[in-house]
Amino acid sequence: MSTVGVLLIVKNEGKMLAKCLSSVASWADQIVVVDSGSDDNTIEIARSFTSDVYVHSDWPGFGKQRQIAQSYINTDWVFAIDADEEVSEALQQSILAAVKLNEPVLYRLDRLSSAFGKRISHSGWSPDWIVRLYPREFASYNDALVHEKVVSDRSLGSKKLSGHLYHDTYSSLAHYSAKTTGYLKAWADDREGKKSSSVSKAISHALACFIKMYFVKRGFLDGRHGFILAWLAAHSTFYKYIDLWLREYQKK
């Protein structure tokens, strides 16, 4: 019978981790948690659910860190999840049914995200189909520093899973700032020396981001939360392009 292992990479996720692991502990054949240097109780919580807890503090980027985590998994299938996510009952049953079929395909699921206490139904956030279940021997994450994806050297097809993955994206503005800072730096790190930027590019990309998210993706239907998210996204877009330009300017 095919087996499935759950893969997590974490850092300072003490507030969210137990809820996440509780949603997979009863049905996963293996749970692997790779920590990148937490200074809270993340590791203690992880060890209360699994003995497969490892620390790799030398951060190589999201993609390679997930590859490291996968190297500890010995099951037939890998299910990747983040500490701020939770598997619904319907998704659990869909995962187990897919693993039982044991077809060499990539499985996508629909992630439902919340921000600042509200479920976001528009703004480009929903539907959010992402590959999270895949055969261990045929697929893995790429080397991207941020926004990593599952890739395969084989021509694997894809199928959709039923049920939802619940995602508590941002609990507060402080949480938003802490979470996005690393992403923005990784984005600029990945493009430094490869892509040029300017003040005008930073402004135009930020404006385009707001228009797309609030109007084209109908963020206005998410009410005040939609406006806040579009404004924050525009600010983050400006930040990463201006950071790239400042790095170029300082080198000159």
Side-chain angles (χ1 to χ4, degrees):
M1 181 177 292
S2 297
T3 54
V4 57
V6 173
L7 178 157
L8 290 95
I9 59 172
V10 298
K11 183 177 182 180
N12 293 332
E13 296 288 359
K15 293 182 179 180
M16 309 288 292
L17 188 57
K19 187 176 182 180
C20 169
L21 292 176
S22 294
S23 73
V24 301
S26 64
W27 53 269
D29 297 291
Q30 183 184 15
I31 299 175
V32 168
V33 179
V34 171
D35 184 90
S36 58
S38 293
D39 54 18
D40 63 357
N41 61 342
T42 293
I43 292 178
E44 289 76 9
I45 293 172
R47 285 176 175 161
S48 70
F49 285 88
T50 177
S51 60
D52 286 317
V53 180
Y54 308 92
V55 177
H56 287 265
S57 300
D58 188 11
W59 179 250
F62 285 92
K64 289 187 176 181
Q65 190 80 334
R66 289 192 190 271
Q67 292 172 18
I68 291 171
Q70 184 167 326
S71 71
Y72 293 110
I73 289 183
N74 53 39
T75 55
D76 302 303
W77 288 83
V78 177
F79 178 71
I81 190 172
D82 291 332
D84 56 1
E85 296 172 340
E86 181 183 4
V87 175
S88 67
E89 180 70 25
L91 178 58
Q92 171 190 327
Q93 296 304 318
S94 184
I95 291 170
L96 294 177
V99 170
K100 187 175 181 180
L101 289 174
N102 203 29
E103 298 179 21
V105 298
L106 306 177
Y107 284 98
R108 294 180 292 150
L109 56 83
D110 188 14
R111 180 171 59 177
L112 295 182
S113 296
S114 300
F116 311 124
K118 180 177 180 177
R119 180 68 49 78
I120 306 302
S121 301
H122 306 280
S123 302
W125 282 31
S126 181
D128 183 18
W129 290 98
I130 50 175
V131 174
R132 286 298 185 83
L133 179 66
Y134 56 92
R136 178 178 60 85
E137 293 187 356
F138 300 147
S140 181
Y141 277 86
N142 59 15
D143 294 340
L145 292 178
V146 66
H147 302 312
E148 67 282 11
K149 295 181 180 180
V150 175
V151 294
S152 174
D153 57 2
R154 299 193 175 198
S155 298
L156 299 183
S158 67
K159 290 186 176 181
K160 291 182 178 180
L161 296 170
S162 58
H164 292 100
L165 182 69
Y166 298 121
H167 182 207
D168 188 4
T169 314
Y170 310 124
S171 59
S172 65
L173 277 177
H175 183 210
Y176 170 86
S177 298
K179 191 172 183 179
T180 56
T181 297
Y183 288 133
L184 297 176
K185 181 181 182 300
W187 185 93
D189 288 345
D190 194 40
R191 289 160 178 78
E192 186 175 1
K194 306 173 187 176
K195 185 175 183 177
S196 63
S197 185
S198 65
V199 175
S200 60
K201 278 187 178 181
I203 295 172
S204 62
H205 279 283
L207 181 60
C209 175
F210 182 87
I211 292 173
K212 181 179 179 180
M213 193 168 180
Y214 192 67
F215 295 105
V216 179
K217 298 295 184 179
R218 301 188 298 170
F220 59 87
L221 294 178
D222 288 313
R224 287 171 289 187
H225 281 67
F227 178 83
I228 292 169
L229 290 172
W231 186 268
L232 290 174
H235 173 268
S236 295
T237 300
F238 177 82
Y239 182 103
K240 64 187 183 183
Y241 276 94
I242 210 67
D243 181 20
L244 189 59
W245 175 74
L246 285 171
R247 296 183 188 196
E248 297 169 1
Y249 181 83
Q250 289 171 332
K251 284 182 179 179
K252 295 176 182 179

